[in-house]
């Protein structure tokens, strides 16, 4: 805006009304970031009295001040009614703002009182030029939410101290939304950062601390030295969890899903989820249920129960988790999204996630950033998560912040999504309860993440066998003398006459008696009725479980037509249009089906049968290799259209989302989704197969072992593009060997489909068969368009997934003296070469499912070749990779008695593939020739 027009606009009658508020907004934006407002405004605002601190929006008199300054074209002669007062008024507002921004740096957050933080000069009125003479003067307090329009400076400073520098350190001024900031200010400032709890509520808080301490002391006495990752020091977690759940119940939540690390987990299980202490004691004593696979340690166990709140029962699910502390957070979020989808809840109001983090881990682990980055995206948002840090100020043995992080607080990552952070002194359970309620309300109001930094300490070492004084001598000297949170609060309540000393002792004894009895100690515990999914139909099936896969040809044609139909005004890119024209021809039977068409037909049949489908990955809508085009982009207005969503009125929902550029958090999310939703199909696609490396923790610790450790089934499908096409070391291999090496106990399936019909049947089998186990697919790249990798519609209508595909050419088996086994794309290289060379003595057998190894089908295929002694396994991968080492024993077992097995493939190599196309081609020709016994 030009200065003249700006002036004219300001002089208009609107200025004093709504526009003054507009100027305030501008001023606030300017204070956050001067360059965010027009230069003219920068010049005006720059002339306001300032002392270098960040200042706040102005109201009342300051509006006039703005007006006069802004209207005055001759800056040197500006006049106000009372210049001194106006200037002081601005400084008062700057002081308020200083507390809002930096009060947390002076708050009493460390229960041990060991923090040494530099003083914050901006919190001193003198720093703003306000003197003791001003203390009795009334000032306008602008947007400050405490008191009336004006306060004396003395009242103001005292209230600011109480609100911002007590046991709560509120960090929220990094949020750009004024509405959010105002909301938080209203909640904090109007009550001076303190709730007024009734005696009953106070007793409830104390009972939480009593339970937390009581359990740990009991376990410590009964099982001395046993690892339990005691909560002691962070006892406030128990009353905090209760308040979070109560508040979520009030807000209408039906389910709360919790993810947490080791510390305090036993307390969470017994004192919140209602696990029977007797069962826990049995586990300490080494007893376990034989039916539960190989199991896991106590402090990784999940649990489910219902919890009664005044707002209704809330189902609680604590996720099982491995020792990788932070990876469970995206799993929880995925689980929440699945539950939301099941309840047809788009806002997240019915299901609330709570993820509990360690202070070192939240700052140290990249998956936290990945998870936050997903938090507002379409495919992954859940209406916000409550993120709690149990900040015991030590990471195993490392406590010096200079070693654990480069940020002021461990929670600084929250700022990337503008989440508010409430640091709270865990020795003050009322402050903890206050921020718990505030956090839940914020989540429900704004649908975004919010952090609680529960600042506590660790009474014992990393675990109970550890000696913490060796590395934290001063801290532990202090801790030894520091009273427990229960004791501190009990004394406070006795002093306030809320309870008598006898009542406190009785509370301790009653809890201990409950523990002795071994029954549930949570009064709110209820038998589960709130969770709405039944896993029983999916239990106890193996991969051979029967299912009905037939879809009549006419149905496939009708679905195919629907899939190629889109509104006329939705203008496709010419290349996509060509693909859709080809698809029409495929449906009409004029063209063989390609991979993309078979794959989306599989989804269409499932949707038509009422199975929901969810597919995410970095380029899932289009497909990395331009083959899927499930999401059509209008070239004229960039709108999208998904034919899979327009099959029929009754069809099941489908979601296809391009994901954020992350593997770990996204795969963990999808694992969480699939472990919470057995109905339907959940797929994750890697852009290139080797990108799955970035999610190795999820593959090792959840997907491959979750069922055995925790009895948690998961039908997730991973599509991992794999194939040696000369694209270099990074884009050739999905590291098949890694998956095969993880295979045991039929824990997952590893498939390498080679035809469109196979991918169609594989996808349907994964959904229709009642077994729910991960499916790892080496999916193709060049095969997507290979002239030989095509199928007829009848193969879809009549066939089923073939775990092994025998010879397809009409060879005379008696003439065959060599049988080559292979998987994946190399098959077509072998076939083409054999046809070119007109060899009739080599049979080619494709193993389409490498694990579980299909021994029976292999035996059938080999029945014609019992006379053969020369068997070859041919692979594209180097010898130390691919299936050779991991699956060889299965191949050997399949051979006829005199059969010998040899290897044709690349030599062992440190890198998965070479970088030069010419070398690649030479190697590829050599291994094909070798397999076919050609020189
Ligand atoms: P949740 O809603 O996660 O608390 O689960 C409720 C109940 O469903 C659990 O207690 C289990 O019995 C069962 N369940 C949940 N998830 C799975 C799973 N992935 N595999 C097998 N059973 C499950």
């Amino acid at each position: 805006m030009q200065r003249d027009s700006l002036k004219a606009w300001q002089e208009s009658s609107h200025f004093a009304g709504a526009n003054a508020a507009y100027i305030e907004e501008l001023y606030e934006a300017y204070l956050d970031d001067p360059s965010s407002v027009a230069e003219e405004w920068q010049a005006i605002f720059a002339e306001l009295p300032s002392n270098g601190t960040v200042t706040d929006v102005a109201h009342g008199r300051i509006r006039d001040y703005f007006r006069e300054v802004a209207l005055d074209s001759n800056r040197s002669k500006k006049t106000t009614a009372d210049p001194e007062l106006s200037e002081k008024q601005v400084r008062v507002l700057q002081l308020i703002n200083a507390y809002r921004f930096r009060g947390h740096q002076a708050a009493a957050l460390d229960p041990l009182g060991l923090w040494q933080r530099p003083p914050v000069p901006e919190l001193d009125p003198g720093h703003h030029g306000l003197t003791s003479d001003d203390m009795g003067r009334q000032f306008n307090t602008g947007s400050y939410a405490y008191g009336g329009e004006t306060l004396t400076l003395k009242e103001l400073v005292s209230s600011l101290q109480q609100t911002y520098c007590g046991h709560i350190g509120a960090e929220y001024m990094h949020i750009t939304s004024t509405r959010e900031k105002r909301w938080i200010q209203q909640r904090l400032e109007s009550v001076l950062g303190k709730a007024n709890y009734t005696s009953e509520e106070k007793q409830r808080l104390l009972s939480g601390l009593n339970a937390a301490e009581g359990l740990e002391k009991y376990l410590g006495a009964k099982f001395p030295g046993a690892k339990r990752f005691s909560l002691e020091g962070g006892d406030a977690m128990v009353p905090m969890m209760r308040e979070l759940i109560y508040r979520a119940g009030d807000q209408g939540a039906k389910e709360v899903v919790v993810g947490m690390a080791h510390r305090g987990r036993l307390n969470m299980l017994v004192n919140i989820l209602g696990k029977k202490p007797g069962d826990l004691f049995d586990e300490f004593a080494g007893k376990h249920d034989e039916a539960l696979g190989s199991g896991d340690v106590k402090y990784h166990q999940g649990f489910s129960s219902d919890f009664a709140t005044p707002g209704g029962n809330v189902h609680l699910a604590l996720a099982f988790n491995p020792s990788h502390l932070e990876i469970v957070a995206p799993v929880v979020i995925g689980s929440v999204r699945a539950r939301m989808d099941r309840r047809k809840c788009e806002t997240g109001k019915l299901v609330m996630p709570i993820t509990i983090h360690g202070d070192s881990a939240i700052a140290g682990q990249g998956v936290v950033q990945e998870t936050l980055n997903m938090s507002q995206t379409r495919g992954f948002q859940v209406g916000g998560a409550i993120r709690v840090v149990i900040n015991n100020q030590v990471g195993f043995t490392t406590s010096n912040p200079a070693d654990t992080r480069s940020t002021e607080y461990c929670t600084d990552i929250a700022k990337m999504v503008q989440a508010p952070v409430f640091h709270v002194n865990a020795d003050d359970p009322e402050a903890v309860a206050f921020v718990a309620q505030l956090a839940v309300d914020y989540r429900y109001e704004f649908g975004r993440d919010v952090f609680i930094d529960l600042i506590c300490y660790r009474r014992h070492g990393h675990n109970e066998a550890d000696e913490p004084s060796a590395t934290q001598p001063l801290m532990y000297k202090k801790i030894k003398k520091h009273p427990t949170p229960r004791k501190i609060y009990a004394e406070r309540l006795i002093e306030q006459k809320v309870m008598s000393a006898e009542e406190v002792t009785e509370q301790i004894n009653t809890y201990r008696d409950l523990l002795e009895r071994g029954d549930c100690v949570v009064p709110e515990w209820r038998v589960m009725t709130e969770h709405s999914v039944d896993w029983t139909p999916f239990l106890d099936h193996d991969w051979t479980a029967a299912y009905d896969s037939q879809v009549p040809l006419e149905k496939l044609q009708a679905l195919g037509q629907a899939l190629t139909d889109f509104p006329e005004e939705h203008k496709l890119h010419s290349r996509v249009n060509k693909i859709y024209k080809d698809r029409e021809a495929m449906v009409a039977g004029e063209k063989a089906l390609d991979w993309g068409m078979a794959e989306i037909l599989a989804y269409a049949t499932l949707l038509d049968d009422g199975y929901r489908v969810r597919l995410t990955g970095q380029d899932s809508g289009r497909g990395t290799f331009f083959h899927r085009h499930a999401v059509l982009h209008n070239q004229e207005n960039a709108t999208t259209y998904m034919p899979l969503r327009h099959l029929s009125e009754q069809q099941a929902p489908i979601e296809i989302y391009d994901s954020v550029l992350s593997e770990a958090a996204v795969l963990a999310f999808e694992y969480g989704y699939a472990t919470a939703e057995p109905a339907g199909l959940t797929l994750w696609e890697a852009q290139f197969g080797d990108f799955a490396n970035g999610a190795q923790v999820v593959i090792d610790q959840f997907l491959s072992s979750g069922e055995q450790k925790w009895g948690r089934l998961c039908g997730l499908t991973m599509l991992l593009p794999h194939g040696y096409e000369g694209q270099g070391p990074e884009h050739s291999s999905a590291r098949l060997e890694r998956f095969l090496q993880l295979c045991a106990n039929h824990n997952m399936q590893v498939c390498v489909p080679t035809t469109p019909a196979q991918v169609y049947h594989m996808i349907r089998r994964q959904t229709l068969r009642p077994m729910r186990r991960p499916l790892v697919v080496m999916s193709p790249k060049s095969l997507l368009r290979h002239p030989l990798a095509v199928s007829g519609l009848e193969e879809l209508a009549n066939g089923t997934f073939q775990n092994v595909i025998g010879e397809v050419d009409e060879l005379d088996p008696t003439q065959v003296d060599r049988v080559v086994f292979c998987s994946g794309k190399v098959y077509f290289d072998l076939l083409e070469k054999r046809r070119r060379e007109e060899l009739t003595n080599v049979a080619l057998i494709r193993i389409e499912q490498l694990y579980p190894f299909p021994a029976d089908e292999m035996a059938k295929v080999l029945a014609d070749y019992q006379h053969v002694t020369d068997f070859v396994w041919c692979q594209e991968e180097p010898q130390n990779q691919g299936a050779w080492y991991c699956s060889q024993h299965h191949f050997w077992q399949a051979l006829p008695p005199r059969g010998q097995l040899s290897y044709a493939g690349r030599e062992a190599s440190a890198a998965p593939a070479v970088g030069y196309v010419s070398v690649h081609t030479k190697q590829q020709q050599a291994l094909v020739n070798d397999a076919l016994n050609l020189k």
Side-chain angles (χ1 to χ4, degrees):
M1 203 184 281
Q2 293 304 305
R3 193 160 183 98
D4 286 351
S5 55
L6 176 72
K7 191 162 184 268
W9 176 74
Q10 286 164 344
E11 282 169 344
S12 75
S13 59
H14 299 298
F15 181 73
N19 295 332
Y22 171 68
I23 296 182
E24 291 169 20
E25 298 289 320
L26 278 183
Y27 183 50
E28 183 158 344
Y30 166 82
L31 291 171
D32 274 349
D33 173 13
S35 66
S36 66
V37 305
E39 276 175 22
E40 286 80 5
W41 285 112
Q42 287 179 34
I44 292 164
F45 293 148
E47 298 207 12
L48 287 175
S50 159
N51 46 27
T53 57
V54 197
T55 54
D56 191 31
V57 64
H59 276 239
R61 282 175 187 222
I62 192 71
R63 274 186 205 158
D64 300 338
Y65 187 87
F66 281 145
R67 187 161 182 262
E68 285 179 33
V69 173
L71 286 172
D72 184 4
S73 54
N74 184 346
R75 314 312 314 272
S76 61
K77 286 192 283 166
K78 73 173 193 284
T79 54
T80 59
D82 179 353
E84 201 230 332
L85 195 61
S86 286
E87 187 159 330
K88 291 247 158 146
Q89 177 62 63
V90 169
R91 294 185 184 284
V92 166
L93 293 168
Q94 287 171 346
L95 178 69
I96 295 174
N97 216 51
Y99 272 88
R100 287 171 168 176
F101 264 99
R102 299 197 58 188
H104 57 86
Q105 290 177 309
L109 299 177
D110 177 16
L112 300 176
L114 291 173
W115 287 8
Q116 287 175 352
R117 303 212 285 179
V120 187
E122 287 88 339
L123 302 181
D124 178 359
H127 180 83
H128 300 268
L130 298 164
T131 64
S132 49
D133 290 348
D134 297 320
M135 285 294 164
R137 288 170 95 177
Q138 289 280 337
F139 287 95
N140 195 305
T141 50
S143 63
Y144 188 53
Y146 175 72
E149 288 236 318
T150 61
L151 286 175
T152 64
L153 183 57
K154 190 167 177 224
E155 288 166 333
L156 176 65
V157 173
S158 154
S159 67
L160 285 168
Q161 277 284 342
Q162 291 178 63
T163 305
Y164 287 107
C165 302
H167 285 161
I168 296 171
E171 256 195 304
Y172 64 92
M173 289 298 278
H174 50 279
I175 299 173
T176 49
S177 155
T178 305
R179 187 169 92 80
E180 289 189 32
K181 279 187 283 196
R182 290 282 175 268
W183 185 93
I184 293 170
Q185 284 159 2
Q186 185 61 39
R187 290 290 299 265
L188 284 172
E189 294 169 354
S190 61
V191 295
L192 302 176
K194 218 178 177 146
N196 226 342
Y197 289 117
T198 61
S199 296
E200 197 188 318
E201 284 163 335
K202 288 180 181 179
Q203 287 181 27
R204 185 168 88 202
L205 293 175
L206 182 65
S207 77
L209 295 179
N210 182 56
E213 181 180 311
L215 178 70
E216 298 294 355
K217 284 207 161 135
Y218 189 86
L219 290 175
K222 206 165 161 152
F223 306 100
K227 266 195 207 178
R228 62 191 150 93
F229 296 99
S230 157
L231 178 62
E232 283 158 283
D235 310 43
M237 182 196 80
V238 170
M240 179 199 68
M241 278 303 297
R242 270 196 197 166
E243 295 311 318
L244 289 173
I245 299 164
Y246 269 71
R247 201 63 164 199
D250 282 349
Q251 293 276 13
K254 296 276 167 229
E255 297 186 67
V256 169
V257 187
V258 184
M260 74 180 295
H262 307 142
R263 186 151 319 281
R265 199 179 177 94
L266 302 184
N267 228 301
M268 175 79 85
L269 284 165
V270 170
N271 285 323
I272 299 293
L273 286 127
K275 178 170 179 156
K276 287 187 185 162
D279 291 347
L280 182 67
F281 303 154
D282 283 352
E283 288 167 21
F284 269 101
K287 291 189 203 152
H288 67 280
D289 184 347
E290 295 293 340
L292 288 180
S294 60
D296 202 347
V297 290
K298 311 176 260 308
Y299 38 83
H300 290 168
Q301 304 285 354
F303 204 76
S304 307
S305 64
D306 281 6
F307 189 99
T309 78
N313 283 7
V314 176
H315 176 69
L316 300 182
L318 175 66
F320 291 81
N321 77 289
S323 220
H324 265 277
L325 307 180
E326 294 297 323
I327 193 71
V328 80
V331 173
V332 164
I333 304 297
S335 171
V336 167
R337 178 74 179 233
R339 293 163 202 259
M340 280 167 57
D341 289 352
R342 188 158 59 232
R343 292 176 178 274
K344 299 191 178 29
C345 165
E346 287 181 7
T347 56
K349 300 238 181 278
L350 298 180
V351 194
M352 187 179 88
I354 303 176
T355 60
I356 303 183
H357 309 254
D359 51 317
S360 292
I362 197 168
Q365 303 271 307
V367 73
V368 176
Q369 178 275 336
E370 291 189 13
T371 312
L372 290 175
N373 189 39
M374 294 196 304
S375 65
Q376 291 295 313
T377 59
R378 284 185 307 141
F380 304 89
Q381 65 84 19
V382 291
I386 309 290
R387 306 201 175 273
V388 178
V389 182
I390 301 201
N391 183 350
N392 57 39
Q393 313 184 50
V394 192
F396 200 166
T397 66
T398 311
S399 64
N400 186 346
D403 293 335
T404 55
R405 59 179 188 261
S406 298
T407 54
E408 182 180 7
Y409 294 109
C410 62
T411 49
D412 280 1
I413 189 84
K415 292 177 184 166
M416 75 171 266
V417 289
Q418 300 196 10
V421 183
F422 300 106
H423 308 279
V424 59
N425 184 323
D427 267 1
D428 181 349
E430 291 181 24
V432 173
F434 179 76
V435 296
Q437 291 162 351
L438 180 58
V440 173
D441 292 351
Y442 173 87
R443 188 251 178 195
Y444 274 88
E445 183 72 22
F446 299 106
R448 306 203 308 114
D449 286 10
V450 47
F451 283 65
I452 298 173
D453 179 16
L454 187 68
I455 300 168
C456 53
Y457 57 91
R458 207 180 62 186
R459 187 159 287 279
H460 307 288
H462 175 66
N463 58 55
E464 289 59 38
D466 202 31
E467 176 45 69
S469 300
T471 47
Q472 273 77 35
L474 300 184
M475 184 187 241
Y476 277 85
K477 228 179 242 163
K478 181 89 196 208
I479 288 174
K480 279 198 183 105
K481 288 193 227 124
H482 192 72
T484 66
R486 186 206 59 77
K487 188 161 192 300
I488 295 171
Y489 192 53
E491 278 168 10
R492 202 155 116 203
L493 295 194
I494 293 169
E495 204 180 287
Q496 292 175 359
K497 307 220 179 324
V498 172
M499 286 173 90
S500 65
E502 293 70 37
E503 283 168 333
V504 168
T505 311
E506 193 186 315
Q507 194 180 52
I508 296 173
N509 293 340
T510 310
Y511 182 79
R512 208 195 36 240
D513 291 347
L514 280 175
L515 282 185
E516 290 281 3
R517 256 183 266 146
D519 288 336
C520 174
V521 298
V522 179
E524 298 91 345
W525 181 89
R526 297 289 178 275
V527 178
M528 270 198 286
T529 53
E530 268 303 336
H531 85 286
S532 51
V533 62
D534 183 9
W535 279 86
T536 36
F538 305 95
L539 301 177
D540 303 322
H541 296 288
D542 202 5
W543 64 287
T544 48
Y547 64 99
D548 178 11
S549 181
Q550 299 303 306
V551 177
L553 192 60
E554 305 73 52
K555 182 84 203 170
L556 283 172
Q557 282 163 334
L559 289 171
Q561 271 156 14
L563 282 176
T564 49
D565 195 24
F566 52 90
E568 208 175 313
E569 59 280 10
H570 202 81
K571 299 291 177 219
L572 302 190
H573 186 276
S574 57
R575 283 180 64 195
V576 182
N577 203 38
K578 159 93 175 57
I579 290 171
Y580 267 69
K581 286 277 165 255
D582 285 349
R583 287 184 182 175
E584 278 176 22
M586 292 171 200
V587 179
E590 293 156 9
K591 221 172 176 288
L593 291 177
D594 67 7
W595 204 278
M597 185 61 183
E599 185 193 330
I600 62 165
L601 259 175
Y603 300 144
T605 58
L606 293 173
L607 296 171
D608 190 56
D609 273 346
Y611 296 95
R612 48 133 221 109
V613 175
R614 176 183 166 89
L615 165 65
T616 68
Q618 281 147 5
D619 310 279
S620 295
R622 187 198 85 166
T624 310
F625 310 102
F626 216 77
H627 83 287
R628 182 171 297 121
H629 294 288
V631 179
L632 299 175
H633 296 258
N634 188 334
Q635 296 299 299
E636 284 172 3
N637 59 15
T639 54
T640 56
Y641 184 83
M642 210 195 289
L644 280 162
R645 285 203 171 145
H646 299 274
L647 303 173
S648 72
E649 293 281 304
Q650 308 76 36
Q651 73 167 96
I654 175 159
E655 292 182 279
I656 300 184
Y657 292 108
D658 292 344
S659 74
V660 300
L661 200 74
S662 129
E663 290 82 28
V666 177
L667 186 62
F669 181 104
E670 301 304 345
Y671 169 83
Y673 195 104
T675 38
E677 182 50 270
L681 176 67
T682 310
L683 308 102
W684 176 74
E685 182 174 54
Q687 190 175 62
F688 284 89
D690 45 348
F691 287 12
N693 273 345
Q696 200 63 45
V697 173
V698 186
I699 296 165
D700 288 347
Q701 304 197 332
F702 290 93
L703 279 161
S704 61
S705 54
E707 182 186 350
Q708 185 177 351
K709 292 190 290 190
W710 312 318
R712 280 300 185 263
L713 301 171
C714 175
L716 183 70
T717 297
M718 292 172 73
L719 302 177
L720 308 174
H722 174 87
Y724 281 61
E725 281 127 4
Q727 288 197 53
E730 313 308 337
H731 292 336
S732 298
S733 174
R735 312 306 305 236
L736 173 63
E737 61 282 358
R738 300 254 174 90
F739 292 98
L740 291 173
Q741 190 254 336
L742 293 171
C743 287
N745 313 116
H746 288 189
N747 58 341
M748 54 189 188
Q749 309 148 88
V750 179
C751 291
V752 197
T754 53
T755 70
Q758 282 287 85
V759 77
Y760 169 88
H761 289 299
M762 179 191 72
I763 287 169
R764 284 180 53 76
R765 181 180 76 167
Q766 178 69 356
T767 319
L768 299 173
R769 184 179 47 189
M771 182 196 80
R772 289 291 174 265
R773 287 205 176 110
L775 166 62
V776 180
V777 184
M778 297 291 116
S779 63
K781 297 181 290 174
S782 65
L783 280 199
L784 296 170
R785 288 178 192 81
H786 198 290
L788 292 177
V790 290
S791 306
L793 211 49
E794 319 71 48
E795 289 176 74
L796 273 52
N798 303 325
T800 169
F801 186 75
Q802 293 172 266
N803 295 309
V804 181
I805 305 180
E807 179 54 57
V808 295
D809 285 350
E810 288 189 2
L811 301 184
D812 175 359
T814 61
Q815 298 301 304
V816 169
D817 59 14
R818 172 174 274 205
V819 171
V820 178
F821 302 137
C822 62
S823 286
K825 187 213 101 203
V826 71
Y827 165 75
F828 292 100
D829 294 347
L830 292 164
L831 182 68
E832 284 179 304
K833 181 80 176 181
R834 190 188 67 185
R835 286 180 179 171
R836 265 202 310 278
E837 298 289 334
E838 297 181 353
L839 298 180
T840 54
N841 65 324
V842 183
L844 301 177
I845 293 177
R846 275 172 279 176
I847 305 178
E848 303 266 309
Q849 176 168 296
L850 281 160
Y851 190 85
F853 190 75
D856 292 348
E857 277 136 297
M858 184 59 119
K860 277 191 202 131
V861 168
L862 286 184
D864 286 344
Y865 307 109
Q866 291 300 303
H867 60 284
V868 178
T869 56
D870 183 12
F871 289 83
V872 175
W873 165 254
C874 177
Q875 68 176 34
E876 298 182 303
E877 300 86 352
Q879 192 166 9
N880 55 322
Q881 299 166 32
W884 175 239
Y885 284 126
C886 286
S887 296
Q888 199 183 123
H889 58 294
H890 292 301
F891 308 152
W892 274 103
Q893 270 173 6
L895 303 187
R898 290 183 305 112
Q900 291 295 316
L901 182 70
S902 58
Y903 170 81
R906 287 181 165 80
E907 282 177 15
S909 160
V914 294
Y916 308 104
V917 180
S918 56
V919 181
H920 158 81
T921 310
K922 235 168 134 177
Q923 287 179 343
Q924 192 78 7
Q925 284 166 354
L927 70 91
V928 168
N929 287 345
D930 192 17
L932 297 175
N933 211 6
L934 295 165
K935 293 292 158 248

